[in-house]
Amino acid sequence: MDEVSLKKIEQGVRMILEAIGENPEREGLVDTPERVAKMYKEIFSGLEQDPSEFFDTIYSEDHEELVLVKDISFYSMCEHHLIPFFGKAHIAYIPQEGKVAGLSKLARAVESIASRPQLQERMTAALADLLMNKLNPLGVFIMLEAEQLCMTMRGIKKPGTKTITTGARGIFKTNDSIRSEVLLLMKN
């Protein structure tokens, strides 16, 4: 993000503060527009990334059984209200022809896709499609569990409410017993 964009964010924050009846020159708020602009640059950094690049290096390993990485923390921003949602991602795939990814690359992909204005449903599908396209596995199963602050701090105001989304591709979409096994492992 260049200086011009940061300046636009600062101007927008200043306008919001004025619109809600605050004084942007008040001691506690005088640097807020600049802080918010820097924060937005950081939390929306995924807009400048292509998460598929994390899978440019694939390893060959004699392993064609389940790979599951659980409890990958993420933070994102609901594109409807620009309010955070956050939670855990669980990623499972079954390699084909020994193609495996570095485990940290899975977490990096979650972080990159989460770091943009987002919907949980889209994030789930994007992760599943990305892994299918880059790894060509027998199947992928993604589960995201998140708390949507647009539901907990405004609107219906139900703190602690979790939204769970899943994305099944390949064998996880067609084989009930394999899907049941991975769901059991994700929940434990």
Side-chain angles (χ1 to χ4, degrees), residues 58 93-100 128-140:
I58 302 295
Y93 73 98
I94 299 176
Q96 181 169 238
E97 299 170 2
K99 291 182 182 177
V100 296
D129 293 340
L130 172 65
L131 292 177
M132 283 301 289
N133 291 333
K134 293 301 281 189
L135 298 178
N136 191 34
L138 293 173
V140 169

Side-chain angles (χ1 to χ4, degrees), residues 75-177:
Y75 301 87
S76 193
M77 290 285 266
C78 167
E79 69 182 37
H80 294 155
H81 299 96
L82 292 182
I83 294 177
F85 68 94
F86 59 93
K88 305 267 186 204
H90 313 294
I91 298 175
Y93 73 98
I94 299 176
Q96 181 169 238
E97 299 170 2
K99 291 182 182 177
V100 296
L103 299 177
S104 69
K105 305 306 184 195
L106 300 172
R108 289 184 192 282
V110 169
E111 187 173 299
S112 177
I113 292 171
S115 296
R116 52 190 76 193
Q118 194 59 272
L119 296 176
Q120 183 174 335
E121 297 88 342
R122 182 185 312 122
M123 186 176 161
T124 304
L127 284 165
D129 293 340
L130 172 65
L131 292 177
M132 283 301 289
N133 291 333
K134 293 301 281 189
L135 298 178
N136 191 34
L138 293 173
V140 169
F141 194 88
I142 307 292
M143 178 190 285
L144 300 185
E145 301 177 70
E147 184 168 345
Q148 309 274 336
L149 291 186
C150 58
M151 273 187 62
T152 62
M153 67 182 283
R154 58 155 303 279
I156 193 73
K157 295 182 182 166
K158 296 297 178 196
T161 303
K162 299 280 186 189
T163 300
I164 296 175
T165 53
T166 61
R169 305 289 186 274
I171 198 166
F172 289 107
K173 193 169 190 164
T174 59
N175 187 312
D176 291 340
S177 65

